[in-house]
């Protein structure tokens, strides 16, 4: 959720929708989790009052692709709808690694220093 959820949610207009994709801020950097930091993040994560959502006619929708891996037909339809009529550009590739350097690529990705996509060349 990071520092952006609450300010963005607080600024929603009536009828506004706030979409949350994954939870990268809860993913620990490095090879092992910092349990104290993770507990702190969990305890102080943003919360939304359901009655407030109803009163202000807002919505929060969560979406995590990791749980959709086996829903190929459903995802295909969503992708087609999303791609239609939009001039999509390719994502920014921040760094590439040869396939043999997959462990180094993962370490770089987990370090939090990456910007853009980290790509393995096959």
């Amino acid at each position: 959720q990071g520092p952006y959820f609450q300010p963005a949610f607080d600024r929603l207009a009536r009828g506004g929708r706030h979409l949350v994709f994954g939870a990268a801020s809860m993913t620990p950097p490095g090879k092992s989790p910092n349990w104290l930091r993770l507990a702190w993040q969990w305890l102080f994560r943003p919360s939304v009052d359901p009655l407030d959502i109803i009163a202000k006619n807002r919505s929060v929708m969560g979406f995590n692709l990791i749980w959709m891996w086996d829903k190929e037909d459903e995802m295909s339809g969503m992708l087609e709808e999303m791609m239609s009529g939009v001039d999509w550009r390719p994502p920014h590739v921040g760094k590439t690694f040869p396939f043999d350097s997959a462990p180094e690529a993962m370490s770089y990705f987990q370090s939090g220093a990456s910007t853009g996509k980290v790509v393995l060349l096959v």
Side-chain angles (χ1 to χ4, degrees):
Q1 291 38 266
Y4 305 105
F5 176 85
Q6 199 65 51
F9 179 76
D10 291 342
R11 288 170 178 77
L12 278 180
R14 290 192 186 278
R17 294 180 184 136
H18 189 85
L19 302 176
V20 181
F21 290 88
S25 66
M26 297 293 279
T27 303
K31 296 180 190 243
S32 63
N34 177 336
W35 294 108
L36 186 59
R37 179 177 177 265
L38 192 56
W40 180 264
Q41 286 178 297
W42 179 260
L43 290 171
F44 292 96
R45 69 191 186 279
S47 63
V48 177
D49 180 354
L51 294 177
D52 186 50
I53 290 175
I54 294 167
K56 295 181 179 172
N57 199 25
R58 297 174 172 174
S59 66
V60 176
M61 300 168 71
F63 193 70
N64 189 342
L65 287 174
I66 198 79
W67 303 113
M68 300 292 286
W69 68 272
D70 62 340
K71 310 256 188 242
E72 192 174 324
D73 292 338
E74 189 176 339
M75 292 298 295
S76 183
M78 283 190 240
L79 181 61
E80 285 177 27
E81 185 178 340
M82 182 180 78
M83 298 300 284
S84 67
V86 178
D87 182 25
W88 291 98
R89 297 183 185 147
H92 169 69
V93 175
K95 194 164 184 177
T96 60
F97 291 84
F99 187 76
D100 293 345
S101 298
E104 290 83 5
M106 183 56 89
S107 292
Y108 176 69
F109 178 71
Q110 290 175 329
S111 75
S114 62
T115 57
K117 301 295 179 187
V118 177
V119 177
L120 285 177
L121 301 173
V122 179

